Amino acid sequence: MQDDVEHLLKRHQDAMERHERTMREAERKRRSEEERLEQAYAALRQRLAVQPDPDAGDVVLPPPPGMAGPSQGTFGGLLGSLRALLF
C-alpha cells in the first residue's frame, strides 16, 4: 500500500513538473510573439510616417497601444505627455 501511494505521489510530481515546463515554454513563446508583433507594428508605423500611402488621403493613424495622448515628437505631444504624467 505504501509503495502505491509513493508511486502515485511520484507520478503526480512528474506530471506537475511537466505542466510547469509546458507553461513556462508557452509563456516564453507568447512573449516572443508579442515582441515580434510590437516590432512589426513599430516598423509599419515608421514606414507609413516616412512614406504615406497615397490612396489613404488624409487618414490619420491612431497612436499605437501604450502611447497616451497626441503623437510624440511634437511640442503639443510633449506637453500632453507631461500633463498626463503630472495629473
Side-chain angles (χ1 to χ4, degrees), residues 48-86:
L48 288 175
V50 171
Q51 189 177 32
D53 184 1
D55 298 330
D58 292 335
V59 175
V60 176
L61 293 175
M67 284 182 63
S71 66
Q72 294 186 353
T74 64
F75 185 71
L78 177 60
L79 288 177
S81 297
L82 288 174
R83 197 174 301 124
L85 287 173
L86 293 174

Side-chain angles (χ1 to χ4, degrees), residues 16-83:
M16 292 305 293
E17 287 174 7
R18 281 193 307 273
H19 175 70
E20 287 176 15
R21 280 193 305 271
T22 302
M23 295 305 291
R24 281 193 304 267
E25 179 65 24
E27 180 64 18
R28 186 194 62 75
K29 189 173 184 178
R30 184 194 64 78
R31 281 192 207 128
S32 174
E33 295 285 328
E34 192 174 88
E35 286 177 19
R36 282 182 5 152
L37 284 174
E38 286 176 4
Q39 290 172 356
Y41 186 70
L44 177 62
R45 287 190 62 79
Q46 184 178 13
R47 192 175 109 213
L48 288 175
V50 171
Q51 189 177 32
D53 184 1
D55 298 330
D58 292 335
V59 175
V60 176
L61 293 175
M67 284 182 63
S71 66
Q72 294 186 353
T74 64
F75 185 71
L78 177 60
L79 288 177
S81 297
L82 288 174
R83 197 174 301 124

